[in-house]
Amino acid sequence: SWGGGGRGMRVIRDEAGLSFPFSAPTFNEFVVEVKDDPERVLERLRDEGLLGGIALGRWYPELERALLVCVTEMNPKGAIDRLARGLKA
């Protein structure tokens, strides 16, 4: 095992250059803002064999570009790296 929510957030921030709309502490789940349409991002991630999270705009219009993502210590570093690349694309 390699990570957890905090490490996943750092990889996504550093590798994908994405931001997080909330500054409160997190455990394994966190919200990330993506640059593309969240449903398209999720589709790309599914094509890569990854479950990319939940698009939040349906329930929170102010978060129309946001995904709720979960990263745990059970996710290997390679999967987190792939997630970061998929979120960035």
Side-chain angles (χ1 to χ4, degrees), residues 54-81:
I54 299 170
L56 294 174
R58 174 179 176 184
W59 298 281
Y60 303 97
E62 68 276 16
L63 297 173
E64 68 181 347
R65 291 273 187 208
L67 296 172
L68 178 63
V69 176
C70 179
V71 176
T72 75
E73 68 280 353
M74 299 302 293
N75 299 112
K77 183 180 184 309
I80 297 170
D81 292 341

Side-chain angles (χ1 to χ4, degrees), residues 1-87:
S1 71
W2 179 81
R7 288 186 182 180
M9 289 178 78
R10 284 191 294 277
V11 170
I12 290 168
R13 180 194 62 219
D14 296 346
E15 299 295 322
L18 299 177
S19 62
F20 308 97
F22 302 108
S23 60
T26 66
F27 183 57
N28 292 329
E29 299 85 9
F30 51 91
V31 177
V32 60
E33 292 180 326
V34 294
K35 297 177 182 169
D36 196 1
D37 174 64
E39 293 298 337
R40 268 189 281 208
V41 172
L42 292 174
E43 185 176 336
R44 281 196 308 264
L45 291 169
R46 277 191 299 272
D47 291 345
E48 294 289 322
L50 296 170
L51 295 174
I54 299 170
L56 294 174
R58 174 179 176 184
W59 298 281
Y60 303 97
E62 68 276 16
L63 297 173
E64 68 181 347
R65 291 273 187 208
L67 296 172
L68 178 63
V69 176
C70 179
V71 176
T72 75
E73 68 280 353
M74 299 302 293
N75 299 112
K77 183 180 184 309
I80 297 170
D81 292 341
R82 286 175 44 223
L83 175 64
R85 285 192 302 271
L87 290 171

